[in-house]
Amino acid sequence: MCSGRSKVGSDVSTFDFRVTAAADILLIQMETGAGKKRIILLGATGSIGRSTLEVVENLASEMEIVALATGTRWEQMLEILKRHPARAVALTDPSAAEALRQSLGRDSAGGAGQPRVYSGAEGLVRMVEEAPAETVVGAISGAAGLPASVAALETGKDLALANKESMVCAGRILNRIARERGRSILPVDSEHSAIFQCLRSGRREEVRALILTASGGPFRSAPRERMARVTPEEALAHPTWRMGAKITIDSATLMNKALEIIEARWLFDLPGEKIRVVIHPQSIVHSMVEFVDGSTISQLGPPDMKVPIQYALTFPARRPLAVARLDLAEVGRLTFEPPDLERFPSLRMAYEVLEKGGTSAAAFNAANEVAVDLFLKRRIGFLRIYELVEHVLSAHNVVPDPTLEQIFQADRWARDEVNRIQA
Ligand code: NAD
Ligand code: MG
């Protein structure tokens, strides 16, 4: 817990500090009439990336995209550049980067005024370091997003974070860098954005519990025999959210909620005992905070990621947003139920990870990433995901208080271990 304390005073929590830092920046921007907020968007072609582009288009008078990154989809990037003429672009796939370079060269008859194209995983990090910006939106999927999250904070940018795997693997380190550089990590994940908003109702010391809601995914009430036979197509059909493939499978296994428990532990600097999960199939209540006086504050709305994305970018202000409005009379019923830890052992594993600490979260996350990939390729069944992750968790030699390099090592070891036993 001490590690999460801010330097600005022993009675000020990291959370309070982040709020203050971000609010100060916004006020300075407003007072000085400084230009638009400059945004680096990582994972621009993905589900969160596309929603972020919409948010920025709607607030074009106060923010702009200055740099973009994606993995391989250079043709989609070319389209994005027409609407968002960024000064820099990174593609982690070198051949995709080359294809984009050539295409831009052709279109621009010489390349003047065209963005600089960075290539490879190192190129991505370099772009984040070099592009002048106030905020980086981290919307890459998986632990592949971690080096860029580190680079963003290290070079004095705020981090609007969708890439929960970054926080899961290296929450302690990211918090430390943010504190040292006086920057904020602003949650984009809808549950964490909800908690971030609810926390404004009280002081950190007054929090009794964070209550994360989970839709329960498509197999919420499926018997175990049925879960053993589900196909990738069935698991990809999420009842309430449209998202990238990896997080959609994570939502079906409830590994997503396990990752979110760990993410919340670091984002809000609270121990696992204070973080709970309740199943809420309608995905209207995005999460809650229970305070010591018996009040529970929640944030509600129809499921739409543009809301938490925009809040992370305009915080502490709120701006109008054209989204479906909540009509509770029409919704009629909001239901809640306890999670079934027998059918969904993922939640139990999350608390085990928090207890073990150190590199166990990176190993847990990496094992899950590989297992999800194997499931999507039809190489393993749905329930095998739990077995593989469980195996890695028990076989891993935890390094306490690891360096970033030790975190990357644990990640690599876990990937090799899953591939080895599954070969
Ligand atoms: P997605 O699969 O739709 O998009 C992922 C993006 O990351 C793509 O642009 C892809 O090109 C890029 N990418 C993937 N691997 C990369 C690599 N190695 N280097 C560089 N870029 C790479 O995923 P998504 O649903 O948008 O999710 C992105 C992140 O946001 C995930 O961490 C997810 O858990 C989190 N998140 C998503 C949602 C949602 O509603 N989609 C909600 C909460 C949190
Ligand atoms: Mg979420």
Side-chain angles (χ1 to χ4, degrees):
M1 286 285 284
C2 289
S3 67
R5 293 269 162 195
S6 146
K7 274 191 196 158
V8 294
S10 59
D11 59 341
V12 182
S13 70
T14 311
F15 169 71
D16 300 325
F17 176 61
R18 281 192 198 127
V19 169
T20 316
D24 282 353
I25 293 158
L26 194 94
L27 282 176
I28 292 164
Q29 276 175 346
M30 290 192 313
E31 279 165 14
T32 59
K36 295 179 185 183
K37 179 183 269 194
R38 296 167 299 178
I39 294 167
I40 300 174
L41 173 57
L42 312 179
T45 57
S47 161
I48 294 289
R50 292 192 304 272
S51 295
T52 304
L53 293 171
E54 272 186 61
V55 165
V56 173
E57 279 163 31
N58 284 323
L59 293 174
S61 61
E62 49 190 296
M63 55 183 74
E64 63 179 337
I65 302 281
V66 294
L68 292 155
T70 185
T72 56
R73 297 184 208 148
W74 65 272
E75 283 154 311
Q76 209 176 323
M77 186 57 91
L78 212 49
E79 288 306 306
I80 295 173
L81 282 168
K82 290 181 185 157
R83 294 179 73 93
H84 297 270
R87 279 160 255 164
V89 186
L91 285 99
T92 38
D93 176 7
S95 53
E98 192 45 42
L100 182 74
R101 260 188 209 121
Q102 295 209 352
S103 180
L104 284 170
R106 237 188 357 255
D107 291 352
S108 67
Q114 292 294 355
R116 172 160 181 200
V117 180
Y118 294 76
S119 165
E122 318 75 40
L124 166 69
V125 168
R126 206 148 24 88
M127 183 187 80
V128 171
E129 287 169 350
E130 290 176 359
E134 281 69 45
T135 301
V136 172
V137 176
I140 287 172
S141 165
L146 175 57
S149 294
V150 172
L153 293 167
E154 283 281 15
T155 50
K157 289 140 187 148
D158 285 331
L159 181 59
L161 192 64
N163 176 225
K164 65 192 81 188
E165 295 90 345
S166 282
M167 211 58 191
V168 167
C169 296
R172 189 188 296 274
I173 292 177
L174 291 174
N175 278 345
R176 197 195 59 228
I177 304 171
R179 213 165 46 236
E180 284 170 1
R181 307 278 177 216
R183 308 319 299 184
S184 306
I185 303 173
L186 297 144
V188 168
D189 212 348
S190 58
E191 294 78 0
H192 303 74
S193 175
I195 289 170
F196 185 60
Q197 295 175 56
C198 297
L199 281 172
R200 303 195 80 197
S201 297
R203 294 192 314 159
R204 203 174 145 280
E205 299 71 34
E206 297 162 351
V207 172
R208 186 155 183 273
L210 308 181
I211 304 158
L212 294 163
T213 52
S215 73
F219 313 126
R220 179 172 57 89
S221 34
R224 218 181 135 79
E225 311 80 73
R226 164 92 190 85
M227 287 168 72
R229 286 180 286 103
V230 301
T231 63
E233 289 74 20
E234 290 169 318
L236 284 170
H238 194 274
T240 49
W241 294 97
R242 293 285 155 265
M243 313 175 283
K246 194 258 174 182
I247 184 177
T248 306
I249 302 302
D250 285 349
S251 301
T253 54
L254 259 64
M255 282 295 185
N256 182 49
K257 214 47 57 179
L259 295 171
E260 290 184 354
I261 291 171
I262 305 169
E263 181 187 16
R265 185 262 172 269
W266 293 115
L267 275 175
F268 307 115
D269 191 24
L270 287 167
E273 305 90 81
K274 290 197 172 186
I275 306 171
R276 291 190 237 134
V277 171
V278 66
I279 304 293
H280 168 49
Q282 297 83 17
S283 301
I284 296 286
V285 176
H286 297 307
S287 278
M288 300 167 250
V289 176
E290 184 192 336
F291 288 93
V292 287
D293 62 354
S295 285
T296 297
I297 309 288
S298 65
Q299 185 255 343
L300 289 73
D304 188 329
M305 287 307 294
K306 288 201 290 295
V307 178
I309 292 168
Q310 176 165 302
Y311 191 66
L313 293 177
T314 62
F315 175 83
R318 289 182 185 272
R319 292 283 184 267
L321 180 60
V323 283
R325 299 287 144 177
L326 179 60
D327 182 340
L328 279 175
E330 194 178 302
V331 173
R333 270 159 59 90
L334 296 176
T335 61
F336 301 88
E337 58 196 70
D340 180 343
L341 300 185
E342 289 303 312
R343 280 185 310 120
F344 297 102
S346 19
L347 301 182
R348 189 172 39 69
M349 290 189 223
Y351 292 106
E352 191 184 325
V353 165
L354 287 182
E355 186 120 358
K356 289 185 168 168
T359 47
S360 63
F364 169 75
N365 174 70
N368 180 56
E369 283 189 30
V370 180
V372 168
D373 194 46
L374 290 171
F375 171 70
L376 285 171
K377 290 176 175 152
R378 297 174 207 278
R379 300 245 328 264
I380 61 169
F382 187 76
L383 295 178
R384 182 75 177 144
I385 298 176
Y386 297 123
E387 291 171 7
L388 290 171
V389 177
E390 189 105 57
H391 162 79
V392 162
L393 207 47
S394 60
H396 180 58
N397 277 326
V398 180
V399 179
D401 202 10
T403 61
L404 261 181
E405 189 42 50
Q406 288 169 321
I407 288 170
F408 293 132
Q409 268 167 20
D411 175 288
R412 284 193 296 271
W413 171 83
R415 285 170 203 270
D416 290 347
E417 182 66 9
V418 173
N419 285 320
R420 186 184 66 78
I421 64 171
Q422 197 50 50

